Amino acid sequence: MTPVSHAVEIRDLHKHFGKLEVLKGIDFTVDAGQVVCVIGPSGSGKSTLLRCVNLLEQPTSGKVLVEGVDLTDPDADLDAARRRVGMVFQQFNLFPHMTVLENVMIAQRRVLKRGRAEAERIAVENLEKVGVADKRGSYPAQLSGGQQQRVAIARALAMNPALMLFDEPTSALDPELVGDVLTVMRKLAEEGMTMLVVTHEMAFARDVADRVVFMDGGVIVEDGPAEQVIGAPRHERTKSFLRRVLDPTHTDV
Ligand SMILES: Nc1ncnc2c1ncn2[C@@H]1O[C@H](COP(=O)(O)OP(=O)(O)OP(=O)(O)O)[C@@H](O)[C@H]1O
């Protein structure tokens, strides 16, 4: 068996929606244990890129490998590959009629076929990890946005993923709730979780990411350590984007 060198490997990825080419030849890798933050203006293709890694979108061409499994190979075990990838969205997507505990147990029970006691134990363990175990009997509507997002993170972690994708996990939150979610994400990073994070949180990207990828117009413009891409960008497009996000008087990103 060939050794798996990357948690994620993307080669010449293109994605069209009709005539609109949203991804125009993306190449990059994420190694196991790395945190890679993807930044860039609205509409640059960041979410579409993540959705191609999670099979929510089918690439038009190119390759997406997760732990060496080619998701574009019709013979690949796609269910198994999908289970290796956890995803946290901007919206928490919790079932409103289920308690927090049930929300974190349901996929474990249905997809992984875990028994009730085991699923509950793992759910509680992960709710403790994100600091909301005391809310296990509550319904999502009884929780703050930050607590709901932490439940969504616990739900993804309970599936024992090799890789976590985060798509602007704090952008739907009131500013005072953002910190708690970022703290959980920092902890996961410190524990060695492989993470691909689309974010507008530049401080998080600067402090936590092993690499920052700047996307614009469906291409990767810069890919490197945060101190380079955010601290000393080489390209005019990156500089202009960062001027806009780092200057609060600009809101057009
Ligand atoms: N399912 C779809 N059908 C048609 N067009 C789509 C679809 N999904 C995304 N697009 C278009 O693809 C482009 C890139 O969208 P995407 O959401 O990937 O960008 P983004 O960089 O994540 O933006 P944002 O920061 O605003 O979330 C946009 O022009 C969007 O309208």
Side-chain angles (χ1 to χ4, degrees), residues 76-211:
D77 183 348
L78 296 185
D79 285 339
R82 188 183 281 123
R83 284 200 288 275
R84 303 295 290 154
V85 183
M87 178 120 187
V88 174
F89 299 88
Q90 189 175 339
Q91 300 301 337
F92 331 117
N93 303 330
L94 301 175
F95 292 116
H97 60 288
M98 290 184 185
T99 64
V100 162
L101 186 64
E102 287 163 349
N103 265 285
V104 182
M105 286 173 64
I106 181 97
Q108 297 187 62
R109 300 270 287 138
R110 288 197 183 155
V111 179
L112 300 184
K113 309 288 181 211
R114 283 183 184 146
R116 170 163 287 281
E118 190 192 8
E120 180 165 341
R121 180 181 59 75
I122 293 170
V124 171
E125 216 172 83
N126 283 289
L127 286 167
E128 274 166 1
K129 185 178 238 182
V130 302
V132 286
D134 57 328
K135 301 288 179 193
R136 71 188 80 171
S138 303
Y139 288 88
Q142 298 171 304
L143 270 53
S144 73
Q147 288 168 334
Q148 290 187 61
Q149 190 60 302
R150 284 185 279 152
V151 173
I153 294 173
R155 175 181 56 186
L157 291 174
M159 302 297 282
N160 197 26
L163 161 74
M164 287 281 284
L165 307 179
F166 291 85
D167 193 357
E168 298 190 27
T170 57
S171 29
L173 301 179
D174 290 339
E176 73 272 20
L177 303 176
V178 168
D180 289 344
V181 171
L182 293 180
T183 300
V184 166
M185 292 171 64
R186 279 170 197 263
K187 197 166 100 185
L188 290 180
E190 280 163 16
E191 288 172 0
M193 174 59 75
T194 311
M195 293 163 56
L196 184 55
V197 185
V198 171
T199 186
H200 290 301
E201 297 289 341
M202 292 303 139
F204 175 85
R206 211 166 21 213
D207 297 349
V208 180
D210 294 291
R211 273 179 27 241

Side-chain angles (χ1 to χ4, degrees), residues 17 20 22 40-49 57 167-168 198 200:
F17 291 110
L20 181 68
V22 174
S42 180
S44 56
K46 306 180 299 293
S47 294
T48 305
L49 172 63
E57 297 289 356
D167 193 357
E168 298 190 27
V198 171
H200 290 301

